[in-house]
Amino acid sequence: MLRNLRAASRKRCSEAGKTLSLVQAPPTMISTRHIARLGKLVSSSVTPHYRFRCTCQLSRSRTLATVTDDPLDQKVEMTNWEKGHYINYKKMSENLSIVRSRLNRPLTFAEKILYSHLDDPHGQDIERGKSYLKLRPDRVACQDATAQMAILQFMSANMPSVATPTTVHCDHLIEAQIGGEKDLARAKDINKEVYDFLSTSCAKYNIGFWRPGSGIIHQIVLENYAFPGGLMIGTDSHTPNAGGLGMCAIGVGGADAVDVMANLPWEVKAPKIIGVRLTGEMHGWTAPKDIILKVAGILTVKGGTGAIIEYHGPGVNSLSATGMGTICNMGAEIGATTSLFPFNDRMYDYLAATKRKAIGDFSRKYAAELKEDKGAEYDDLIELNLSELEPHINGPFTPDLATPISQFKDAVAANKWPEELKVGLIGSCTNSSYEDMSRAASIARDALNHGIKARSMFTVTPGSEQIRATIARDGQLETLEEFGGMVLANACGPCIGQWDRKDVKKGEANSILSSYNRNFTGRNDANPATHSFVTSPDLVVALTLAGTLNFNPLTDTLKDKDGNDFKLSPPTGDGLPANGYDPGQDTYQAPPEDRVAISVAVSPDSDRLQILSGFKAWDGKDAMDIPILIKTKGKTTTDHISMAGPWLKYRGHLDNISNNMLIGAINAANGEANKVKNFMTGQIDAVPATARDYKKKGIQWVVIGDWNYGEGSSREHAALEPRHLGALAIITRSFARIHETNLKKQGLLPLTFADPEDYEKINPDDKVDLMCTELAVGKPMTLRVHPKDGKAWEAKLNHTFNESQISWFKDGSALNTMARHASESGAHT
């Protein structure tokens, strides 16, 4: 009872804002207003000897014993790399108390994190799936490809420093060619202008900078910045990786990051919560990756849209922290806002192993709020028995086509997928932990002991310099190289299309298998005929050894060097290194104390970087008789809208990168990519060229899209490019969450058909009128369609704009709105 009372004593006095302290005193000493404030936390009927009083009253009676030490008053820094940025569990606890008194119901863990970070816990409207929450994230993380545009936008805010702790990570611009060291050296040379810009701008604006070679953003965050109960946004869709340490980490576009960097609250629609209850325990060839592969098969690529996936149940405790990170990472592929696990001893062990024991100790003091409340309700619930879970392989061409290994050979035959496995790839931000590499190396060692090596090409991508150095010291890297592996740079590489692949020609059908997270058409090697499958590192190594998709290591045998049959042993590997982590080379640049004299130069002649100009505000009129630039058919991911690979080098130059706008999208008019008809000239041309011609002539245009438009990467260039080239609206059957927000931020109208069948009725050569003056919260808009030959008809369009977001459209962009508010504020002072 005393422990409960002490916990309750952390509540705030409703009269004076003082801390309530536990005292031993007669019952008459407690204020009835205090009892009301404490609510259901403590019942006065069961506490005859302990009562609460304000600390302001205690000075009148020195004889009263007090308990004033609040364990949440500690100052524990978020990271070893920064000074003065503390984990504020005290504030989180206070916000939660306010929200609990309002909602009066058990909360999920995800809700606890979100509501404890509310900008206004007293006044915030809170309803899952409906309310727009205004939140105050603890951190911002940016990868180098998206950081360029984010920092260019932040510079326009004219602030001397970021207001929220921020880091930039160089991982996206390193192309895999011949091996890690040489590829890294080449990238540093080719991207010098961009790296210099990021280095100097980070130093200028007080941003931590992780240089090329340091590792992949999500692995660096897990190793150094993630902490239980924290809220972070990151300019990459796989930011949820930090959920493996109980952090609510959400992928966003650069404009959202700029808001938080500039000390504005971050806005997101209150997610629904999908619970995944884990029971049992994995064994044999089953790995953490198989959990998310199975869940992806259940929910599909759009099943998690607008929801947080919250894992819980007794099965959670059998997973390593990095294994949980893997699961959260790939949750992006089902459209989830984020995924997370409750704090447990496995997370504590990882924090201790990465020299953050103080954070682990502090989290244990806040542990009651680092898990779901008993009786918390979920909007949907999935139950998985890990003891019965089979290893899975998902794909090709989509990450939600899930096939158990026992059925995979039959699926290969039935679908006529290329049986020969050309390349096996392990690593990436999803699966490059010490545990992953140790298990993979145990399989490779088993094969080497039988005198055989990989039959397929095999690559290894360490997730960070710390992982590379540690597995080099402990021998796993040597084993994987002996097995036939090419060690790539500590970077994204082939996972995001940074792969100079030479073994097949473009258009040649082939199969590759990776431990990555995403496998859309052409994603890895820009070859639309490559059948890309995703699975655990364990199965990648096993099938690479066999050289074929027609191999099940659970049941099939291989031939050793003497021609004898043998069966691979199930993989084994420690979750954490027994001798601790080796940090490897120092790749971190801390911002200097004196930043005033630092200059951030952007050459006006650069083809890599371009200072941004503001977009024009809406003219206040309806748009009449405007063309459809393209009606896309089927999947239109952000890779289709703004390809990565060689285009990454232009991420800081909006005009140049706009030359890749929608070049991967399939035109419903002809079934081809990057071929659309210019209604003015009648000629067939590339999508960007046609858009530029319309823009030159002052003609706005719209895009018509299919289901889940904009799924995949968080890249805001997929919204910036259409805006730059003259788009007014993107009209689809449905949107992926991040892309819909990105479009709003850039002053575009993301609209959905009230009747999805209207998508089928519209022809690519129709003209449309869009009644922009009808834009209002909760009300549909009208699209009047003028067929080339036929009678005009109308379609109703829905949207999710709130009042503040409508101002983004009217002002021309969210950045314009920010500038207007700043100007108005300056005028009033």
Side-chain angles (χ1 to χ4, degrees):
M1 181 189 300
L2 184 58
R3 188 187 313 122
N4 292 336
L5 287 167
R6 281 175 174 153
S9 74
R10 293 194 293 270
K11 306 304 155 188
R12 304 296 287 175
C13 170
S14 59
E15 294 178 341
K18 303 287 186 180
T19 301
L20 293 176
S21 297
L22 182 66
V23 299
Q24 191 168 3
T28 55
M29 294 184 70
I30 185 168
S31 156
T32 55
R33 293 170 74 177
H34 287 167
I35 293 176
R37 179 66 170 169
L38 290 168
K40 295 184 178 181
L41 288 169
V42 180
S43 169
S44 61
S45 63
V46 297
T47 57
H49 302 297
Y50 292 93
R51 290 295 180 262
F52 291 93
R53 298 187 65 198
C54 289
T55 53
C56 56
Q57 295 176 322
L58 292 178
S59 60
R60 304 172 192 167
S61 178
R62 293 172 181 266
T63 60
L64 294 175
T66 64
V67 180
T68 57
D69 291 337
D70 188 336
L72 300 187
D73 278 332
Q74 282 183 263
K75 284 195 169 184
V76 177
E77 289 177 320
M78 289 184 196
T79 173
N80 295 325
W81 298 100
E82 299 166 357
K83 297 297 180 185
H85 297 151
Y86 301 106
I87 297 173
N88 199 345
Y89 283 149
K90 181 77 173 284
K91 177 65 174 176
M92 296 180 204
S93 178
E94 291 169 352
N95 282 2
L96 269 185
S97 297
I98 295 166
V99 173
R100 284 187 189 281
S101 68
R102 294 177 55 203
L103 298 183
N104 195 28
R105 62 169 173 80
L107 300 176
T108 67
F109 179 33
E111 288 182 297
K112 289 182 180 184
I113 298 180
L114 293 175
Y115 304 160
S116 68
H117 287 81
L118 285 171
D119 185 50
D120 178 14
H122 289 285
Q124 172 70 62
D125 182 42
I126 300 173
E127 185 177 356
R128 286 187 200 166
K130 292 188 177 180
S131 305
Y132 277 88
L133 305 179
K134 290 192 173 183
L135 305 169
R136 291 288 181 176
D138 297 298
R139 301 198 63 84
V140 177
C142 306
Q143 40 94 336
D144 51 354
T146 50
Q148 297 170 60
M149 194 59 68
I151 291 175
L152 286 166
Q153 292 178 83
F154 178 77
M155 287 168 64
S156 67
N158 294 318
M159 295 181 67
S161 170
V162 293
T164 304
T166 301
T167 54
V168 167
H169 306 260
C170 294
D171 61 2
H172 269 57
L173 302 179
I174 304 167
E175 184 181 54
Q177 279 191 338
I178 55 177
E181 288 187 13
K182 291 183 178 179
D183 290 345
L184 178 59
R186 179 172 174 269
K188 287 179 178 179
D189 180 55
I190 293 173
N191 302 308
K192 185 180 185 304
E193 180 185 10
V194 170
Y195 291 148
D196 286 349
F197 165 73
L198 292 174
S199 175
T200 55
S201 60
C202 285
K204 178 74 171 179
Y205 298 112
N206 201 27
I207 298 170
F209 180 62
W210 289 85
R211 293 188 289 266
S214 60
I216 306 172
I217 176 174
H218 313 303
Q219 186 68 34
I220 297 293
V221 166
L222 197 71
E223 293 173 353
N224 299 280
Y225 297 104
F227 65 89
L231 175 64
M232 181 181 78
I233 61 171
T235 60
D236 190 279
S237 57
H238 296 107
T239 298
N241 190 79
L245 275 180
M247 189 177 216
C248 189
I250 301 175
V252 299
D256 277 347
V258 172
D259 284 353
V260 177
M261 291 158 68
N263 204 30
L264 295 176
W266 173 59
E267 189 174 64
V268 66
K269 181 179 278 192
K272 293 186 176 182
I273 315 295
I274 298 175
V276 179
R277 187 171 187 272
L278 304 179
T279 58
E281 189 170 339
M282 295 182 304
H283 57 87
W285 285 87
T286 304
K289 184 68 161 285
D290 296 305
I291 296 174
I292 183 58
L293 295 174
K294 175 70 173 178
V295 170
I298 295 170
L299 290 176
T300 76
V301 291
K302 57 185 179 182
T305 302
I308 289 177
I309 312 298
E310 183 172 312
Y311 294 86
H312 61 285
V316 165
N317 294 322
S318 67
L319 303 174
S320 65
T322 53
M324 292 185 246
T326 290
I327 295 163
C328 294
N329 178 296
M330 196 175 162
E333 307 319 314
I334 54 178
T337 300
T338 193
S339 304
L340 76 165
F341 282 81
F343 176 65
N344 62 11
D345 289 344
R346 304 302 293 275
M347 295 184 189
Y348 180 92
D349 293 342
Y350 184 78
L351 287 167
T354 50
K355 298 181 173 60
R356 292 176 290 167
K357 183 177 180 294
I359 294 178
D361 291 336
F362 197 28
S363 296
R364 281 182 168 173
K365 294 175 182 177
Y366 188 58
E369 304 296 10
L370 297 177
K371 62 181 180 180
E372 75 282 0
D373 287 337
K374 185 177 181 180
E377 294 185 359
Y378 297 93
D379 295 286
D380 197 2
L381 182 64
I382 297 169
E383 301 205 44
L384 284 183
N385 185 341
L386 302 184
S387 301
E388 299 173 354
L389 182 63
E390 266 193 85
H392 277 63
I393 299 177
N394 287 25
F397 306 124
T398 185
D400 59 355
L401 181 57
T403 307
I405 188 64
S406 62
Q407 301 172 26
F408 191 65
K409 280 191 279 188
D410 291 339
V412 171
N415 292 285
K416 295 183 173 56
W417 296 330
E419 296 178 11
E420 181 187 3
L421 180 60
K422 287 287 189 180
V423 190
L425 310 97
I426 66 169
S428 84
C429 65
T430 318
N431 277 114
S432 60
S433 67
Y434 187 83
E435 180 180 44
D436 290 327
M437 294 301 182
S438 297
R439 285 171 63 98
S442 76
I443 302 168
R445 177 51 59 194
D446 189 12
L448 291 168
N449 289 343
H450 286 87
I452 59 174
K453 298 182 179 183
R455 292 186 182 178
S456 306
M457 184 188 298
F458 180 54
T459 70
V460 180
T461 303
S464 70
E465 170 60 12
Q466 179 165 277
I467 289 295
R468 185 210 60 77
T470 305
I471 62 175
R473 179 198 68 194
D474 292 351
Q476 294 96 331
L477 200 61
E478 182 181 2
T479 297
L480 294 170
E481 287 183 293
E482 185 182 348
F483 179 71
M486 175 194 293
V487 180
L488 303 178
N490 311 324
C492 300
C495 184
I496 61 162
Q498 285 283 46
W499 185 15
D500 186 19
R501 189 179 179 192
K502 303 290 190 184
D503 62 300
V504 296
K505 295 178 180 179
K506 190 168 184 177
E508 180 183 341
N510 72 101
S511 291
I512 65 173
L513 183 66
S514 78
S515 67
Y516 302 163
N517 45 39
R518 190 167 285 163
N519 61 341
F520 298 134
T521 302
R523 163 85 178 178
N524 304 119
D525 61 0
N527 181 3
T530 292
H531 293 56
S532 179
F533 300 86
V534 292
T535 187
S536 67
D538 307 339
L539 286 191
V540 173
V541 175
L543 272 66
T544 299
L545 179 62
T548 175
L549 297 183
N550 291 324
F551 177 67
N552 179 355
L554 284 74
T555 58
D556 299 346
T557 60
L558 295 164
K559 298 287 186 182
D560 68 12
K561 62 181 175 58
D562 298 321
N564 300 314
D565 289 338
F566 79 99
K567 193 175 174 183
L568 288 170
S569 298
T572 59
D574 294 333
L576 297 169
N579 297 319
Y581 284 103
D582 182 338
Q585 299 177 33
D586 181 10
T587 54
Y588 178 69
Q589 172 191 292
E593 290 291 329
D594 183 6
R595 305 187 307 276
V596 176
I598 296 173
S599 175
V600 181
V602 178
S603 169
D605 299 323
S606 172
D607 69 346
R608 299 286 302 269
L609 298 165
Q610 180 186 42
I611 298 295
L612 296 175
S613 300
F615 293 126
K616 289 183 179 179
W618 174 50
D619 62 7
K621 301 176 182 177
D622 293 328
M624 310 300 288
D625 201 38
I626 62 175
I628 297 168
L629 176 68
I630 183 173
K631 178 183 177 182
T632 71
K633 180 180 180 182
K635 269 189 186 294
T636 309
T637 71
T638 50
D639 280 298
H640 294 101
I641 304 168
S642 177
M643 285 186 176
W647 290 96
L648 285 171
K649 64 183 180 181
Y650 296 123
R651 284 285 178 88
H653 197 294
L654 180 56
D655 192 58
N656 283 347
I657 199 170
S658 293
N659 288 324
N660 80 355
M661 185 194 71
L662 286 162
I663 63 175
I666 300 302
N667 185 358
N670 53 26
E672 296 185 86
N674 204 27
K675 290 183 179 180
V676 295
K677 186 176 183 178
N678 185 319
F679 88 97
M680 294 286 289
T681 66
Q683 295 181 339
I684 301 297
D685 206 340
V687 182
T690 304
R692 285 186 186 278
D693 186 58
Y694 292 165
K695 180 182 179 180
K696 183 180 177 181
K697 294 170 180 173
I699 300 170
Q700 290 183 301
W701 45 267
V702 301
V703 169
I704 305 296
D706 214 327
W707 294 105
N708 208 30
Y709 185 95
E711 68 176 286
S713 167
S714 68
R715 67 191 62 149
E716 66 176 332
H717 296 79
L720 278 163
E721 293 172 32
R723 182 71 170 99
H724 176 63
L725 295 186
L728 172 66
I730 312 296
I731 305 167
T732 72
R733 282 173 156 166
S734 69
F735 284 101
R737 175 190 63 87
I738 298 177
H739 187 60
E740 180 183 23
T741 301
N742 286 345
L743 291 168
K744 290 180 183 178
K745 287 274 186 178
Q746 302 308 333
L748 286 162
L749 294 171
L751 308 169
T752 57
F753 293 106
D755 179 359
E757 291 305 309
D758 284 341
Y759 166 87
E760 302 289 355
K761 293 169 61 178
I762 290 184
N763 296 311
D765 59 356
D766 292 344
K767 292 285 198 64
V768 298
D769 303 333
L770 184 57
M771 305 295 109
C772 301
T773 54
E774 295 178 355
L775 180 62
V777 176
K779 295 182 179 179
M781 294 173 63
T782 302
L783 180 75
R784 187 176 300 118
V785 183
H786 301 279
K788 194 172 184 179
D789 300 305
K791 185 179 179 182
W793 58 278
E794 291 187 352
K796 287 298 179 184
L797 305 177
N798 295 330
H799 64 84
T800 60
F801 280 88
N802 61 27
E803 202 63 55
S804 61
Q805 292 171 346
I806 288 176
S807 68
W808 300 345
F809 170 69
K810 291 181 176 180
D811 289 334
S813 72
L815 206 59
N816 288 358
T817 300
M818 184 193 302
R820 176 172 61 80
H821 287 166
S823 175
E824 291 171 352
S825 175
H828 293 153
T829 57

